[in-house]
Amino acid sequence: MELTFKILLIIHILAGSIGLFTGTINIIRRKGDTQHRLVGKYFFFSMIINAIAGFIMSLWHQNVFLLIIAVFSFYMTATGQRFLSLKRIDKGQSVKKIDWTLSIMMIVFASFFVIYGLYLFAIDNNLGIVLLVFGLISLLMTRKDIALYKGNIKIKNYWLLIHIQRMIGSYIAALTAFLVVNNTYLPPLLAWLMPTFIMTPLIFYWSKKNAFRTLIRRQ
């Protein structure tokens, strides 16, 4: 059994490393070209594999840290990729069961994060703050999912904005995991939340900038 866990750990670390490397490349270089899509495929599959391995290990050793990162990164990566196939919801495109499943799954886990986070916060455990932050962010995103699925769309290129935001969010999850695991000098709470606080404003900057460029090219 321990051998199986070690194999999962190796897969988890290797996939996470590939995700961080490919994610960094796509963040700093031009978006939307052939190389971006190729690197993006490596990022997508590595993050999905990383999340699945992390989820199994989190249940195996009852590790809340792994559970948060695994669920959050899986949801962000999967929905970020799926929205590339949901470009015509405003024109009557049907949303598939997989999309509803991903969002409902995240609602369940996010609700657990919030409830358990409130409990930990009440007993002065700082991990409660982390759970509350990730849980509330996830609930806000799933609320947006459901609104879009129902056709409540106010932005023409919504799918591109969601894709960029979710993929960068997945990258933040990978960066957070790396920082927390290798942290030797920062307060644990700061290590957990610093990537989110630093990169969240950049998500809005990058998504609006690249979405605007794409819209201009199409016109």
Side-chain angles (χ1 to χ4, degrees):
M1 295 292 285
E2 284 304 314
L3 177 60
T4 303
F5 185 85
K6 288 180 180 178
I7 293 173
L8 281 172
L9 180 60
I10 292 172
I11 294 172
H12 178 72
I13 293 173
L14 181 60
S17 299
I18 295 172
L20 272 177
F21 178 69
T22 54
T24 302
I25 291 175
N26 265 0
I27 282 177
I28 63 178
R29 68 178 307 280
R30 182 180 178 181
K31 311 293 185 291
D33 59 10
T34 301
Q35 290 184 351
H36 173 85
R37 290 190 289 271
L38 178 61
V39 173
K41 288 181 179 179
Y42 285 105
F43 175 78
F44 170 75
F45 286 111
S46 63
M47 290 304 297
I48 290 295
I49 292 171
N50 172 270
I52 292 173
F55 182 76
I56 295 172
M57 290 190 298
S58 73
L59 298 181
W60 197 324
H61 280 191
Q62 299 181 354
N63 189 315
V64 177
F65 159 69
L66 271 177
L67 180 65
I68 297 171
I69 296 297
V71 172
F72 192 76
S73 62
F74 182 88
Y75 166 76
M76 298 290 275
T77 307
T79 56
Q81 186 68 21
R82 279 297 307 158
F83 266 98
L84 291 178
S85 302
L86 297 173
K87 300 178 182 179
R88 296 183 176 275
I89 298 177
D90 55 337
K91 294 180 173 60
Q93 179 184 6
S94 297
V95 177
K96 296 187 179 298
K97 290 182 180 179
I98 181 62
D99 302 305
W100 282 103
T101 300
L102 287 169
S103 297
I104 292 171
M105 176 202 73
M106 191 67 248
I107 290 173
V108 172
F109 277 104
S111 299
F112 165 72
F113 292 162
V114 171
I115 294 170
Y116 190 46
L118 287 171
Y119 166 73
L120 292 179
F121 183 75
I123 61 174
D124 294 326
N125 187 326
N126 284 337
L127 185 59
I129 299 175
V130 174
L131 282 162
L132 285 171
V133 170
F134 279 89
L136 292 173
I137 290 174
S138 299
L139 287 175
L140 288 173
M141 288 189 296
T142 53
R143 180 184 178 185
K144 180 182 289 187
D145 290 350
I146 293 172
L148 291 172
Y149 296 162
K150 291 182 176 181
N152 184 12
I153 297 170
K154 299 178 181 178
I155 302 175
K156 183 176 180 180
N157 51 340
Y158 64 91
W159 57 271
L160 180 59
L161 290 172
I162 298 296
H163 170 73
I164 294 173
Q165 292 166 4
R166 300 286 169 87
M167 287 307 186
I168 297 178
S170 177
Y171 177 81
I172 290 175
L175 187 61
T176 299
F178 176 82
L179 186 60
V180 170
V181 169
N182 295 282
N183 178 41
T184 56
Y185 54 91
L186 292 174
L189 184 60
L190 181 61
W192 262 102
L193 298 179
M194 187 169 67
T196 298
F197 288 147
I198 290 177
M199 296 195 69
T200 295
L202 295 178
I203 288 179
F204 294 101
Y205 170 76
W206 283 321
S207 61
K208 288 183 179 180
K209 178 181 178 181
N210 287 283
F212 180 75
R213 283 180 177 176
T214 299
L215 186 58
I216 292 298
R217 287 200 298 268
R218 291 190 172 190
Q219 290 176 340

